[in-house]
Amino acid sequence: MDLPKNYEFSEVERRWQDTWREEDNYFDPASTKPKYIIDTPPPYPTGTFHIGNAFNWCYIDFIARYRRMRQFNVMFPQGWDCHGLPTEVKVEEIHGITKNDVPREEFRKMCRELTLSNIEKMRGTLRRMAFSVDWSHEYITMLPAYYGKTQLSFLRMLAGGYIYQSEHPVNFCTRCETAIAFAEVAYEPRETTLNYFDFDGLEIATTRPELLAACVAVAVHPEDERYFGMAGRMLSVPLFGHKVPLITDPAVDPAFGSGAVMICTFGDKQDVHWWKQHNLDLRKAIDRQGRMTGIAGDYAGMKSSECRKAILDDMKRAQILTRQEVLEQRVGTCWRCKTPIEIMSERQWFVKIDPDAIMKAAREITWNPEHMFLRMENWVSQMEWDWCISRQRIFATPIPVWFCSRCNEMIVPAEEDLPIDPTTSGPSHPCPKCGSTEFVGEEDVLDTWMDSSISVLNVTGWDGTSMPHLFPAELRPQGHDIIRTWAFYSILRSVALTGSRPWDQILINGMVLGEDGFKMSKSRGNIISPEDIIEKYGADALRQWAAAGAATGSDIMFNWNDVIAASRFQTKIWNIARFVLLQLGRRPYSRDAPIEAPADRWLMARLSGTVREVTDAMEACQFDRALKSLREFAWDVLADNYIELVKGRLYSDEKERDGACRALHATLDTLCRLMAPFTPYFAEECYSHLGKGSVHACTWPEPGQQDPDGLAYGDLLVRIVAELRRYKHEKGLALNAPMGRVAVFSSPITDDGGDAGRALNAAFEWHEEPPKLEKVPGDLKFNMAVIGPKLRKDAGAFMKAARALPRDLQENPPETLDIDGRTIAVPEGAFSLEYRYLEAGEQVDVISVGGVIVTIHTIP
RNA sequence: GGGCCCGUGGUCUAGUCGGUUAUGACGUCGCCCUUACACGGCGGAGGUCGCCGGUUCGAAUCCGGCCGGGCCCA
């Protein structure tokens, strides 16, 4: 059957998309094959599957397809991490409302509808990318089937003592009006002023004058002589007048500002630390909306920024503001909206963090690349507070508890009643403590990471009662940007709920940068979408870019050149396949023919080596190495060397062509399989022309038997042909021009069955005996680059004199030479004697290839 | 300030627990439309492997210092 001249990726990719059956990618619960469970990241359904996602998913799909071919029972589930602020904001924007304008349930419904339509759009991209997702294991965190499990996990951890409620300082975003966890705080550089002012006779420097009302102490270093003997004194807070103590603490930096710092509740984490350590008062100066509270007196109701300005003005007026310095600082902001966070004490829900247990589990996991483990270690080692999991938002999993209106007893639902929304339904029994039937449902909802951090439990079949039967998963693939969140929380939750590590291996991928080397962003205009690339060069080319563009784990720059090179590689293989199938079909050949010609043995040996290399690389998730090895084999070994070498034999009708046919058939078959994980459409299309069903249902190839002799002979043969090509090139001969007799003197003999002779259009002879060569001096070769500048107008006479020299002096030039009665120095390297070789009296050119002598009898 | 990663021909990049001539792609120069492919073939040019020092018979690779870039965290 003839292959079309051109490979039309758009037609081919569309056709296979329509042909492939979803069920072929399903995990089979009844299978006896070893399981391979992937804890796929559930993306946030923004409506676009961006290139960073595509990059991440390419790695996952390479592994999923490879493992299936290695006869694993693979689960490649697809989740959607739906809850969260961005969708709430989008809904407010679309409907022109704010979340408080409509009932909570109606707002949630709007969020769900938007999310579902976004998911549908993203599913389309996943399909076009040929990601072999198991759609029977899709999960959507906002649907009852999933968030029921989130609630169940909450109740389990509550019962296990991992979750507690407490009034404790938390990071708070006043724009989102919710508490957030440390993992959600992003630090941004900012220029601010350090303000020095008189504090009841003491000079204080502060960056947060607006917190003056929340001042609860002034601290100095215990060894700071400026403040000796002052500890314990009560100071009057300027403008407000309340009294605060002067305390000492070694954590105060005497070199910063005036060496005296005011402690407020709360300016930063350090304040919290001191507040706890010294049992200080709590003064809340800022409320949830970021406005000043009643204790701020005249400033109450102002936004903190307004208050800051007003207080500084009042300090100036009172002449206590002494000076201001510009200061570079890093301010904690909400990672979603970049609003500076406040630290405020609130009643919130927390998950206890046990760093030792988490690290123990983290160490049991194989980290790839290894150094990414350090990020986890660093993050865990500096945890100070527990994980704040309550949020004051709407579109999220409700915290499933009620409080008795009479005695404030906490009531939890029965597990079989989950999922519930405690704000719309009540408990099924009266309060067990006081018998009351009046309850208040918890309005706080859960941090979105509480949903996604049980993804692995969900896909491994957790039902709350036991160790999930598919647990732990084999693989967690994810980006390095969410190690401190998703990876950390997932390990924490697995340890808390099952007592063991969630996965055997974690594979970390890098971030995708724009073509200009910067992070992709709208403002830079360097965003490339997967759809753009698929449109122009096809999904397979994009997948190849993901594999070959960077070493696993490092960040990758998007690069059109790499995509184009990938698509050219496909074209090249397409043409190889066309040629091979044309030759195979041209005339029947024996399927039992021995593969014994040196070229054929060489091809099989190199193929075998390639299978070994690619397999090793796949096992180590080194996709760049795998694809590189494949490209080198297909392009260099197969196309440029092997096929060029055996073309003549294939064109012939001799029975020797059968070995080449067999070798080519086996090679094409194996090549398709090796490429299948990377270019599923292309490999399928090529393989379909071999007429043996889907390549994705095939087993992964095994390397053939080692054949070191075949490899060595073949390498020599290929090198000889390459050297002779170079020779022809230097002689200005076309590659197919006749070149007379070529004799190769090698031991043991490596007669190639005529391949090299046909390829070079030469009469090849193979000799075991060494050649009988006679070395005779030839012409003198002058180096004009030396002679010209040194001798100038004497050059002509110099050369004449040199030619006239006796042989031995031509071989070993004298120091001086006489020209026209003058003696002149012979410049270093002015000339050298060339030699000619005679074989049986006939002049030959001689080249040496790895110690093997090749003589060429040129046609006169 | 701490931790981690990186610095390789014009550009991007592989190699980094030591060992012939440093990988590939793009670009570039010359020749060739040879019955698979000009989206191709053949041949070439182009590298002080960031800088300095050390270990070693031998360093892009190991150690120390410095310079520059990035990420994560205070």
Side-chain angles (χ1 to χ4, degrees), chain A residues 139-421:
Chain A
Y139 61 89
I140 298 177
T141 62
M142 68 178 179
L143 297 183
Y146 191 96
Y147 78 76
K149 288 186 187 172
T150 305
Q151 291 187 329
L152 179 58
S153 71
F154 174 91
L155 293 180
R156 286 281 146 152
M157 287 177 66
L158 184 66
Y162 290 97
I163 288 178
Y164 64 93
Q165 281 190 91
S166 166
E167 164 125 9
H168 188 277
V170 290
N171 296 300
F172 203 94
C173 174
T174 53
R175 200 210 68 89
C176 305
E177 292 181 37
T178 182
I180 59 175
F182 267 113
E184 293 166 293
V185 178
Y187 292 84
E188 299 272 322
R190 190 161 300 198
E191 202 170 81
T192 188
T193 53
L194 181 62
N195 308 283
Y196 290 79
F197 66 101
D198 180 79
F199 195 110
D200 198 8
L202 228 68
E203 190 182 45
I204 293 267
T206 184
T207 57
R208 309 265 334 246
E210 68 275 22
L211 287 176
L212 203 55
C215 179
V216 291
V218 169
V220 296
H221 193 275
E223 273 141 50
D224 193 334
E225 2 184 279
R226 286 173 291 183
Y227 307 105
F228 273 171
M230 291 169 71
R233 223 165 94 178
M234 295 302 282
L235 301 169
S236 175
V237 177
L239 305 181
F240 292 92
H242 62 278
K243 302 283 191 202
V244 298
L246 181 80
I247 61 172
T248 62
D249 191 293
V252 178
D253 178 5
F256 185 81
S258 61
V261 59
M262 67 173 193
I263 300 173
C264 307
T265 53
F266 297 96
D268 58 23
K269 225 161 112 180
Q270 185 61 49
D271 282 343
V272 177
H273 204 79
W274 282 325
W275 171 74
K276 273 197 213 168
Q277 200 150 2
H278 297 278
N279 266 319
L280 300 169
D281 289 345
L282 180 67
R283 295 177 64 89
K284 291 187 193 181
I286 296 176
D287 70 9
R288 291 176 162 217
Q289 282 80 37
R291 293 185 183 278
M292 305 311 293
T293 64
I295 67 159
D298 294 346
Y299 308 100
M302 287 184 184
K303 282 188 181 164
S304 66
S305 54
E306 293 164 354
C307 174
R308 176 192 177 87
K309 201 173 168 297
I311 284 190
L312 285 173
D313 285 347
D314 289 344
M315 282 180 169
K316 275 180 201 154
R317 211 163 293 131
Q319 297 189 324
I320 56 172
L321 186 69
T322 49
R323 62 199 161 105
Q324 293 180 295
E325 284 173 2
V326 175
L327 185 74
E328 281 294 325
Q329 67 165 14
R330 294 172 74 87
V331 60
T333 65
C334 170
W335 81 337
R336 299 243 191 244
C337 69
K338 297 293 178 224
T339 305
I341 53 121
E342 294 294 345
I343 294 177
M344 44 184 78
S345 189
E346 292 256 341
R347 185 199 67 111
Q348 300 285 352
W349 292 84
F350 295 90
V351 167
K352 277 187 193 159
I353 290 172
D354 179 349
D356 295 339
I358 294 169
M359 284 315 295
K360 183 176 171 288
R363 266 187 281 269
E364 286 171 13
I365 298 163
T366 303
W367 290 74
N368 188 355
E370 226 173 312
H371 70 259
M372 290 297 179
F373 171 74
L374 289 166
R375 291 222 185 168
M376 175 63 71
E377 203 170 32
N378 289 342
W379 176 247
V380 174
S381 69
Q382 51 97 60
M383 302 288 330
E384 283 189 50
W385 302 351
D386 284 337
W387 173 20
C388 175
I389 53 166
S390 46
R391 298 289 182 274
Q392 293 69 51
R393 299 296 311 180
I394 294 174
F395 185 46
T397 299
I399 294 181
V401 301
W402 297 272
F403 297 96
C404 174
S405 303
R406 198 190 302 162
C407 71
N408 208 32
E409 174 76 356
M410 182 170 73
I411 322 276
V412 299
E415 290 182 359
E416 58 270 22
D417 293 338
L418 295 177
I420 61 137
D421 179 354

Side-chain angles (χ1 to χ4, degrees), chain A residues 41 98 223-224 260 329 530 579 623 642 650 690 702 777 784 846:
Chain A
T98 65
E223 273 141 50
D224 193 334
Q329 67 165 14
F579 175 78
F623 312 115
Y642 179 77
L650 286 168
L690 289 172
E702 294 289 336
M784 297 315 289
V846 177

